[in-house]
Amino acid sequence: GKSVLAENIARCCARNGLKVRFQSYEMNSTDLTDRGAAAQFGIDYGHLRTAVMNREEWDRYNDYVNLSASWSFLIDTEMVGVERLAARCRAMKRKQGLDLLVVDHLHIMPRPNKNNEVQELGDISRRLKNLAVELNIPVVLVAQLNRGSAKALDKRPNMADIRGSGSIEQDANIIIMPHRESYYDNQINPHLAELIIAKNRDGEMGSVVCGWKGQFARFEDEPDLNWAPPQKESRWSDGYAV
């Protein structure tokens, strides 16, 4: 859910009049528009991906396209390195203003040479931190977890699970880790999500319980609690249920 959360934050800010730049290294602008429409107007994301929608869904999609056209929400999908990204952000700040930069995601940003991943990721992290200070804007940097964390008994992520975590941990003011226990256990409410505040330089750490609607690609303020786990099928033996 990390990219969904980043898109939700960016779209919410743009919808409220802020000037947002979304640098995507993983999804194209059409996919991001589809996600935004699904989240904003409750359109099934699976229907959008297959373009199999009913008339009402098409109307809502067109409403989203018309609505978002008035926002200052720039989606850039070019595979640029951190230096060119910083230059583009400075130019945007100077010419039209810039209130938020979202980068999705750190681990697939182009790097000069891929000999020392930890060192190079740390360099990108520090450069983006310096850019945030220089332009006086928040930078939301999406990062990947080590896959080994999914094999642990406790599935809740922590900062040590961040791939190449040393400099990222140090540079970040706030680290938010989305977590859905139902991803690992289908007996748990799939609409229940958690945003773990693993680091907060200027405030408290802890956890925020929220809702998750995967079919609409969005997090919500409150979880939908009207859910019951699937019934396990009975096995019959000699006429008796076991």
Side-chain angles (χ1 to χ4, degrees):
K2 62 185 187 298
S3 293
V4 170
L5 182 61
E7 186 280 332
N8 287 184
I9 292 170
R11 178 174 40 80
C12 180
C13 290
R15 189 182 66 210
N16 284 279
L18 299 181
K19 296 177 174 61
V20 177
R21 184 185 192 96
F22 196 107
Q23 192 72 31
S24 176
Y25 295 102
E26 193 166 36
M27 300 181 71
N28 60 43
S29 57
T30 300
D31 289 339
L32 283 166
T33 299
D34 288 349
R35 277 195 175 183
Q40 185 75 31
F41 286 116
I43 306 171
D44 191 298
Y45 185 54
H47 295 177
L48 275 166
R49 293 189 66 183
T50 57
V52 180
M53 296 188 290
N54 59 38
R55 185 64 194 176
E56 182 184 354
E57 289 173 325
W58 278 113
D59 288 343
R60 281 184 278 166
Y61 182 80
N62 289 329
D63 287 343
Y64 176 76
V65 172
N66 293 331
L67 176 67
S68 60
S70 64
W71 301 344
S72 180
F73 189 7
L74 175 63
I75 297 174
D76 187 350
T77 59
E78 189 176 348
M79 296 294 289
V80 296
V82 66
E83 288 189 9
R84 289 183 65 190
L85 173 59
R88 292 182 181 186
C89 289
R90 292 186 187 103
M92 184 173 175
K93 179 78 171 183
R94 184 175 63 254
K95 294 177 181 177
Q96 64 194 74
L98 177 60
D99 299 309
L100 171 68
L101 169 65
V102 178
V103 180
D104 184 20
H105 64 79
L106 169 66
H107 293 91
I108 52 178
M109 283 185 73
R111 307 198 301 271
N113 50 60
K114 299 187 178 181
N115 298 327
N116 188 328
E117 181 183 63
V118 173
Q119 182 179 340
E120 290 172 351
L121 293 177
D123 180 61
I124 294 172
S125 175
R126 281 188 296 274
R127 286 172 180 261
L128 290 175
K129 176 65 177 287
N130 292 338
L131 182 68
V133 174
E134 176 189 342
L135 300 183
N136 192 27
I137 61 170
V139 174
V140 175
L141 176 61
V142 179
Q144 193 174 41
L145 297 184
N146 291 309
R147 294 187 181 275
S149 62
K151 299 178 182 178
L153 291 177
D154 183 4
K155 307 298 185 184
R156 290 166 57 82
N158 58 62
M159 288 196 292
D161 294 325
I162 302 174
R163 191 170 134 200
S165 63
S167 295
I168 303 169
E169 279 183 50
Q170 179 179 328
D171 294 334
N173 285 6
I174 300 175
I175 295 178
I176 302 173
M177 300 182 133
H179 176 63
R180 293 179 288 119
E181 195 68 27
S182 62
Y183 184 84
Y184 308 99
D185 186 348
N186 65 3
Q187 297 296 305
I188 294 176
N189 187 347
H191 305 301
L192 188 64
E194 189 179 357
L195 301 181
I196 300 168
I197 315 299
K199 177 183 178 181
N200 190 354
R201 184 164 290 168
D202 299 315
E204 297 182 3
M205 295 185 296
S207 179
V208 177
V209 175
C210 60
W212 165 257
K213 287 291 179 66
Q215 72 271 36
F216 302 142
R218 73 185 180 206
F219 287 87
E220 298 182 337
D221 291 341
E222 300 289 341
D224 181 359
L225 300 179
N226 295 320
W227 177 86
Q231 296 295 317
K232 293 183 178 179
E233 293 184 3
S234 298
R235 292 183 294 111
W236 292 88
S237 176
D238 297 328
Y240 293 93
V242 296

